[in-house]
Amino acid sequence: MRLNELSPAPGSTKSRKRVGRGIGSGLGKTSGKGHKGANSRSGAKRNSRFEGGQMPLQRRLPRLKGMARGRHTVARPKNYAPVNLSDLAEMSGDTIGLDELRTAGLVRKNANLVKILGNGEVGRAISVQAHAFSATAQEKIEAAGGKVEILES
């Protein structure tokens, strides 16, 4: 058996409708299109927005003045990758920056912005570089004798 030899079982397929092939076919004469009118003609197509003479949707709705034209940029919030103080306490080294956080696996490689959050305690003085710090995180790092350095975003 080969793929090019496969065929459906005899009688399992239905033959297609042949419209306009005589009265006996059931779809002769007008071919199921009724009498006269635009849709009985060959090549007849109705506009997709046509609603049968009813007032079309684009005319029923009010015009938007000014808003419809031009570009409207929307300020998007900055997405920070969060890192807790408890994670920083487990890391070795006195200076912790973006590269150290990436190598430790705390921040993804493609993360652009990092924010240090105040969950946990820092038991030693460390210098941390990040794009943003929560107020509690900054207080805890400075209380432990560490230093906070905010990077440009």
Side-chain angles (χ1 to χ4, degrees):
M1 182 181 280
R2 295 195 175 98
L3 286 175
N4 65 337
E5 294 172 354
L6 289 176
S7 64
S12 66
T13 59
K14 195 173 177 184
S15 56
R16 70 179 183 87
K17 255 183 205 171
R18 298 181 66 221
V19 294
R21 293 295 182 272
I23 298 167
S25 70
L27 283 173
K29 195 184 169 199
T30 56
S31 305
K33 287 174 171 252
H35 293 276
K36 298 186 179 177
N39 292 329
S40 69
R41 314 292 185 200
S42 66
K45 273 184 264 180
R46 197 178 275 158
N47 188 341
S48 62
R49 294 179 308 246
F50 184 66
E51 299 183 27
Q54 173 179 299
M55 186 63 70
L57 182 66
Q58 77 270 16
R59 290 188 60 194
R60 275 180 280 166
L61 297 175
R63 274 181 64 191
L64 297 173
K65 294 188 177 104
M67 289 296 290
R69 281 169 297 177
R71 178 178 286 151
H72 300 280
T73 55
V74 178
R76 291 182 179 88
K78 292 180 179 178
N79 291 328
Y80 290 98
V83 178
N84 283 311
L85 284 179
S86 56
D87 299 327
L88 296 182
E90 296 170 4
M91 292 179 68
S92 61
D94 296 333
T95 306
I96 298 172
L98 297 179
D99 296 330
E100 289 81 5
L101 292 171
R102 285 189 178 113
T103 53
L106 295 174
V107 174
R108 287 184 177 182
K109 289 179 183 173
N110 60 355
N112 295 331
L113 304 172
V114 176
K115 183 171 184 174
I116 308 298
L117 305 177
N119 190 5
E121 293 296 327
V122 184
R124 57 196 167 87
I126 54 172
S127 175
V128 184
Q129 299 170 342
H131 297 98
F133 291 85
S134 70
T136 53
Q138 194 166 351
E139 288 171 14
K140 288 180 181 180
I141 292 170
E142 290 171 350
K147 196 174 102 181
V148 168
E149 187 180 336
I150 298 173
L151 300 173
E152 289 291 320
S153 53

